[in-house]
């Protein structure tokens, strides 16, 4: 469907945009220089990620004709993953939630009710809605979604299965999301999160990674060397989004990370230490180490009544066979309320490319690989 706009001129409006099976991709770019001891110096090479949106069309003749004719033109693609119901609207003001959708000044929005479609040109984003350049006629039972200006990236793939044909199209977004990152709680001047790790299917993925060079002398002998002081823990974080707000908050987290660039503190969510102290705990806590090799890991996370508290051990000693930590700040909790004690690790994302898969019925998921830099 061809539309004309004041802001962007003539565009092809994608009227049929199925979300089931669609994939939204954000591609950051980070340069990493690694010293001999494994310490990294990371530099972000993009202020904004490259944003793509991949969808599959069923065998609709009108879709194919539009794609064939307009494959090299600009498209207006509705981001239905951010759609919200607005009821009856008219005039140049639309009341809606602007905190979980990428509405911005001098951009487009799609207002739709059944087969009735309106294109709104946004002049200003207010706290409680949108101010439009031009008034629109009344439309009832309407929903609104942001429109992204895109081009088709590469070729259109057509897959034939008996009488069924699917057209796979990948759109490259020109006006990339401008999501304002939020600075979370800080620990040692770095971001700290308390994320829940969820199972992917029936398995939970975790790994220990090493850096080791084999030097082969071609005579059957070899030697090894490593540039890292310690091995690294790798783990997968699988997250499911059931609401538009959850998805938008994840995007804020993603933009804050800038791919591999910005590290953050994260507990292992495992019982790494067994509490031996009783009564009220202030700055001294006695524990049993499950792994004695982790005695030098002094950044700890205490889960107390469902809430996490981050602390650093200033001194470590052995008392009556237990390990005693003296903390930098008092806990001021009763030992009976401590549910879990985990090590805190400094992590970063292990990839610059992040995919969000849309499963239908307002549900989406993403799987991220994390790597621990040190503890």
């Amino acid at each position: 469907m061809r539309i004309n706009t004041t802001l962007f001129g003539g565009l092809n409006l994608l009227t049929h945009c199925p979300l089931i099976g669609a994939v939204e991709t954000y591609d950051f770019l980070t340069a990493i220089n690694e010293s001999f001891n494994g310490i990294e110096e990371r530099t972000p090479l993009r202020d904004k990620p490259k944003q793509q949106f991949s969808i599959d069309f069923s065998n609709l003749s009108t879709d194919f004709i539009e794609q064939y004719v307009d494959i090299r033109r600009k498209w207006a693609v509705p981001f239905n993953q951010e759609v919200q119901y607005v009821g009856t609207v008219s005039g140049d003001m639309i009341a809606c939630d602007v905190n979980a959708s990428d509405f911005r000044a001098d951009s487009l929005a799609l207002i739709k009710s059944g087969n009735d479609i309106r294109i709104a040109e946004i002049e200003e984003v207010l706290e409680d809605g949108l101010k439009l350049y031009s008034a629109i006629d009344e439309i009832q039972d309407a929903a609104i979604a942001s429109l992204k200006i895109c081009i088709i990236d590469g070729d259109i793939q057509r897959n034939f299965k008996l009488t069924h044909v699917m057209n796979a199209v990948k759109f490259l977004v020109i006006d990339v999301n401008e999501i304002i990152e939020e600075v979370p709680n800080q620990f040692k001047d770095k971001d700290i999160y308390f994320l829940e790790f969820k199972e992917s299917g029936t398995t939970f993925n975790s790994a220990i990674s090493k850096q080791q060079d084999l030097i082969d002398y071609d005579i059957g002998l070899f030697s090894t060397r490593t540039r890292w002081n310690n091995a690294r823990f790798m783990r997968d974080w699988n997250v499911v989004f059931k609401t538009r707000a959850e998805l938008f908050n994840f995007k804020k987290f993603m933009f804050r990370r800038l791919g591999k660039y910005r590290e953050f503190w994260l507990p292992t969510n495992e019982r790494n230490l067994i509490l031996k102290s009783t009564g009220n705990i202030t700055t001294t806590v006695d524990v049993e180490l499950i792994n004695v090799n982790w005695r030098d890991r002094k950044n700890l996370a205490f889960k107390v009544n469902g809430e996490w508290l981050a602390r650093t051990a200033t001194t470590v000693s052995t008392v009556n066979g237990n390990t005693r930590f003296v903390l930098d700040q008092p806990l001021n909790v009763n030992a009976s309320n401590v549910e879990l004690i985990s090590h805190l690790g400094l992590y970063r994302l292990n990839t610059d490319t992040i995919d969000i898969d849309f499963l239908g019925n307002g549900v989406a998921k993403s799987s991220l690989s994390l790597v621990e830099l040190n503890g």
Side-chain angles (χ1 to χ4, degrees), residues 7-281:
L7 291 173
F8 301 100
L11 299 169
N12 296 303
L13 175 64
L14 187 67
T15 56
H16 180 61
C17 187
L19 267 186
I20 297 179
V23 179
E24 186 178 359
T25 302
Y26 291 86
D27 193 5
F28 297 88
L29 188 61
T30 308
I32 300 179
N33 293 320
E34 186 178 270
S35 62
F36 192 82
N37 58 6
I39 296 177
E40 296 179 348
E41 181 179 315
R42 297 179 299 279
T43 304
L45 301 182
R46 288 178 184 162
D47 293 332
K48 292 183 180 180
K50 183 165 66 173
Q51 184 182 4
Q52 296 173 327
F53 189 53
S54 304
I55 55 178
D56 293 335
F57 294 90
S58 59
N59 188 22
L60 299 177
S61 58
T62 54
D63 287 338
F64 173 72
I65 292 172
E66 285 185 355
Q67 294 163 17
Y68 177 78
V69 174
D70 301 320
I71 188 172
R72 288 166 294 185
R73 295 178 178 174
K74 291 181 180 179
W75 290 71
V77 178
F79 264 40
N80 290 332
Q81 57 267 44
E82 298 178 359
V83 69
Q84 55 181 291
Y85 179 76
V86 290
T88 300
V89 296
S90 63
D92 62 355
M93 292 291 299
I94 299 177
C96 62
D97 179 10
V98 299
N99 297 314
S101 297
D102 185 35
F103 294 122
R104 67 185 83 157
D106 295 328
S107 69
L108 304 179
L110 176 71
I111 304 172
K112 185 176 182 180
S113 177
N115 293 325
D116 191 357
I117 295 176
R118 313 285 176 86
I119 304 301
E121 302 193 30
I122 303 172
E123 179 180 5
E124 186 179 359
V125 178
L126 308 175
E127 292 184 358
D128 56 352
L130 307 174
K131 186 178 186 307
L132 309 181
Y133 277 107
S134 301
I136 60 172
D137 295 333
E138 181 178 299
I139 180 172
Q140 299 178 350
D141 295 324
I144 188 171
S146 60
L147 276 175
K148 298 299 179 188
I149 311 302
C150 307
I151 61 170
I152 293 178
D153 188 13
D155 300 330
I156 298 174
Q157 303 297 327
R158 306 194 73 210
N159 301 316
F160 293 82
K161 294 182 180 179
L162 298 178
T163 59
H164 188 67
V165 182
M166 294 297 293
N167 302 315
V169 185
K170 181 183 292 184
F171 290 97
L172 181 62
V173 180
I174 297 175
D175 54 336
V176 178
N177 279 8
E178 292 186 357
I179 296 177
I180 300 176
E181 64 183 49
E182 291 185 351
V183 179
N185 293 330
Q186 299 291 293
F187 179 71
K188 293 188 171 181
D189 297 325
K190 297 186 185 298
D191 298 352
I192 184 169
Y193 295 92
F194 300 105
L195 308 175
E196 291 186 4
F197 290 93
K198 299 181 179 180
E199 292 184 351
S200 175
T202 58
T203 61
F204 179 80
N205 300 320
S206 183
I208 301 175
S209 179
K210 68 174 181 177
Q211 191 286 322
Q212 190 171 28
D213 297 324
L214 296 180
I215 303 171
D216 190 349
Y217 299 100
D218 292 330
I219 56 175
L221 300 176
F222 66 89
S223 60
T224 66
R225 67 177 183 180
T226 179
R227 298 191 301 273
W228 291 359
N229 291 341
N230 301 295
R232 293 181 177 180
F233 285 95
M234 315 276 289
R235 60 177 63 223
D236 291 339
W237 178 37
N238 307 296
V239 59
V240 176
F241 317 104
K242 296 183 180 180
T243 66
R244 183 166 46 88
E246 289 177 352
L247 177 59
F248 204 72
N249 287 334
F250 173 76
K251 290 182 179 180
K252 290 180 180 179
F253 166 83
M254 183 177 63
F255 272 69
R256 175 68 178 170
R257 305 273 62 77
L258 287 178
K260 298 179 182 179
Y261 170 63
R262 185 174 282 117
E263 67 270 30
F264 60 98
W265 292 101
L266 183 70
T268 63
N269 284 271
E270 301 172 0
R271 194 176 302 277
N272 303 126
L273 306 100
I274 300 175
L275 182 63
K276 293 299 182 178
S277 296
T278 59
N280 190 55
I281 303 175

